[in-house]
Amino acid sequence: MKRIYKYKHLSFFFISFLVIFCAYFILPYLFPSNFKNLIVKGDTQATTTPVVIEEPEFIVTHIKTPVPLKGIYMSACVAATPSFREKLLKIAKTTEINSIMIDVKDYTGTISFNSENKLFKENIGSGCKVKDIKEFIGKLHDNGIYVIARISSFQDKYLVSKRPELAVKRSSDGGVWKDYKGVSWLDAGSKDSWDYLVALAKESYGVGFDELNFDYIRFPSDGNMKDIYYPFSNGKVKADVMKEFFVYLNQNLKDIPAPISADFFGMTMTNTDDLNIGQVLENALPYFDYIAPMVYPSHYPSGFNGYKDVNAHPYDIVKFSMDRGVERAIAATSSPSKLRPWLQDNDYPVKYTPEMIRAQIQATYDSGLDSWMLWDAGNTYTVEALLSKNISINKNI
């Protein structure tokens, strides 16, 4: 009995050995396709080819310019903060707003998105970066929102720090000139700065922006103007320098199908001189798709058109300014449709109520225009002043 038990014990181990031997060596040889990726739990020698799932490349899209256009401004810092930017997206989704302008480059010179272009790849200015700019613009497009790139042109602390030879200088000692806010400027006559702006505009279109807006396309106006020197524009007429730049932008951005627009001082609608900053309406109209005069009532001097308190006359200021602008646009181009004013939606120096904001909008309509944009540097807009999406607009009311 003991011998039989012994044999049974040996038979059990022999059979087990045969099963394991066949599983590891015979079956994989006979059926390699079925056992190629076999993994035995606990066997650290077993391997398999890892499956790599690649994210599909994001496809950049563009949408057409809405007519009429009704926009708001979004800073790069807000665009980089999902919780804050969602609030502005909600405004655009629920009100008459159909466009958002986002900083690509602000006064710091920081490019707000990452780029492989050698001109911008090392840009590490002090401003904000929007890491998901393509995806965010895509989301705006999915909601039918037109997206404009704001490029602060000749204000650029970062580029001046890298290339001080392009900067506006102090005539007293040749150092970099700064305005009262401590911001340094590029000389508007520098061709290198023009090329830089053209390259940035093309990069901006490449990540999805539908329109390219150039702000601060002018000479400085607030600083020690008695101690200022322009290394590239010295001896030239400022208005001529700016017109040459307008022509340059127009010619060098023709290869991309994006409208280009320019922000102008509000008083360029009523003044025929260049305001000592180089901006003349008639010099710009032929070369831009849109001109956006900043007709903020608070930015007009006391006594303008007889109004001692300009903030008490938001309708009158905008209406008078845009009436003159429309007249000049018709004379220059036979059409006023290129004018798209910036209107005030911020509490400087007094609180701007929904009624004051709506008055500016109505003044725009009454001057024969249908498009406008609201400006608030803090990005907190007065929703009560806006019509909802499902309300048709009667411009005559």
Side-chain angles (χ1 to χ4, degrees):
M1 294 295 292
K2 290 182 179 180
R3 183 176 297 178
I4 293 173
Y5 175 80
K6 180 179 180 180
Y7 290 152
K8 286 183 178 181
H9 184 71
L10 291 174
S11 297
F12 173 79
F13 282 102
F14 180 75
I15 293 172
S16 299
F17 173 80
L18 287 177
V19 170
I20 294 172
F21 181 86
C22 290
Y24 271 85
F25 299 103
I26 304 300
L27 292 179
Y29 179 80
L30 295 176
F31 307 99
S33 61
N34 293 333
F35 288 87
K36 184 177 181 180
N37 296 318
L38 180 66
I39 299 177
V40 178
K41 185 176 181 180
D43 186 353
T44 58
Q45 299 301 316
T47 61
T48 184
T49 303
V51 178
V52 179
I53 302 175
E54 294 185 359
E55 291 281 341
E57 183 177 355
F58 184 85
I59 299 176
V60 170
T61 60
H62 296 91
I63 64 177
K64 293 182 178 180
T65 309
V67 179
L69 181 143
K70 299 166 185 179
I72 55 177
Y73 159 72
M74 180 185 291
S75 70
C77 291
V78 169
T81 309
S83 60
F84 201 160
R85 74 187 188 189
E86 285 298 318
K87 294 179 181 179
L88 272 63
L89 173 58
K90 183 179 179 180
I91 292 175
K93 290 169 66 175
T94 59
T95 73
E96 59 191 303
I97 296 300
N98 56 19
S99 175
I100 295 179
M101 183 181 291
I102 303 174
D103 279 331
V104 160
K105 180 170 82 73
D106 60 15
Y107 73 94
T108 68
T110 306
I111 309 304
S112 65
F113 57 85
N114 294 322
S115 170
E116 291 302 312
N117 188 312
K118 62 181 181 180
L119 285 174
F120 316 117
K121 190 173 183 179
E122 302 301 322
N123 184 290
I124 51 172
S126 58
C128 295
K129 293 276 191 179
V130 187
K131 296 181 180 179
D132 63 341
I133 190 66
K134 290 183 181 180
E135 292 77 9
F136 180 48
I137 293 175
K139 183 177 182 179
L140 294 175
H141 285 167
D142 289 343
N143 285 277
I145 301 168
Y146 184 72
V147 190
I148 306 173
R150 176 179 177 263
I151 302 172
S152 182
S153 301
F154 297 120
Q155 277 192 337
D156 197 320
K157 294 171 67 175
Y158 178 80
L159 188 56
V160 166
S161 71
K162 296 299 179 182
R163 299 198 57 187
E165 73 276 11
L166 303 180
V168 174
K169 302 294 182 63
R170 293 189 299 267
S171 58
S172 58
D173 60 8
V176 173
W177 182 91
K178 295 182 181 181
D179 62 23
Y180 288 139
K181 295 180 180 179
V183 178
S184 48
W185 290 65
L186 299 166
D187 184 342
S190 163
K191 294 293 197 313
D192 281 1
S193 66
W194 296 6
D195 289 334
Y196 185 82
L197 293 171
V198 166
L200 180 56
K202 292 181 178 181
E203 286 288 302
S204 302
Y205 180 76
V207 299
F209 284 99
D210 304 305
E211 180 177 318
L212 309 166
N213 171 268
F214 295 88
D215 199 0
Y216 286 92
I217 46 175
R218 61 178 179 84
F219 286 82
S221 61
D222 60 328
N224 185 356
M225 306 305 292
K226 295 180 179 179
D227 187 23
I228 195 166
Y229 173 73
Y230 304 102
F232 297 91
S233 304
N234 188 45
K236 298 180 180 180
V237 176
K238 290 180 179 179
D240 292 344
V241 172
M242 293 314 309
K243 183 176 180 179
E244 189 178 351
F245 172 64
F246 302 157
V247 173
Y248 191 85
L249 280 182
N250 180 277
Q251 292 177 343
N252 286 275
L253 291 176
K254 282 184 175 179
D255 59 339
I256 57 174
I260 61 173
S261 57
D263 294 335
F264 264 40
F265 266 18
M267 290 185 70
T268 57
M269 299 297 100
T270 55
N271 282 52
T272 55
D273 65 334
D274 74 344
L275 298 169
N276 200 34
I277 59 172
Q279 291 185 347
V280 177
L281 178 61
E282 285 79 4
N283 285 353
L285 282 168
Y287 307 109
F288 291 95
D289 296 285
Y290 303 100
I291 302 294
M294 300 173 286
V295 288
Y296 316 130
S298 63
H299 283 39
Y300 285 77
S302 176
F304 175 79
N305 202 36
Y307 305 124
K308 183 177 181 180
D309 181 3
V310 290
N311 290 291
H313 299 273
Y315 175 91
D316 300 307
I317 295 289
V318 174
K319 178 67 162 53
F320 179 79
S321 298
M322 297 318 301
D323 277 350
R324 302 290 83 74
V326 166
E327 290 174 2
R328 292 169 64 182
I330 290 175
T333 64
S334 301
S335 173
S337 61
K338 286 191 172 187
L339 297 181
R340 181 202 287 162
W342 279 108
L343 307 177
Q344 182 167 348
D345 185 4
N346 57 78
D347 297 335
Y348 173 82
V350 298
K351 181 174 178 58
Y352 265 67
T353 65
E355 293 75 22
M356 295 170 75
I357 296 163
R358 202 72 214 172
Q360 295 174 84
I361 294 172
Q362 190 61 51
T364 302
Y365 294 153
D366 291 347
S367 66
L369 303 172
D370 59 7
S371 296
W372 44 265
M373 297 178 291
L374 298 179
W375 175 268
D376 176 28
N379 294 198
T380 54
Y381 296 97
T382 308
V383 179
E384 297 81 2
L386 302 170
L387 302 180
S388 64
K389 285 287 187 196
N390 59 357
I391 295 179
S392 60
I393 302 170
N394 185 343
K395 299 178 185 177
N396 297 317
I397 296 178

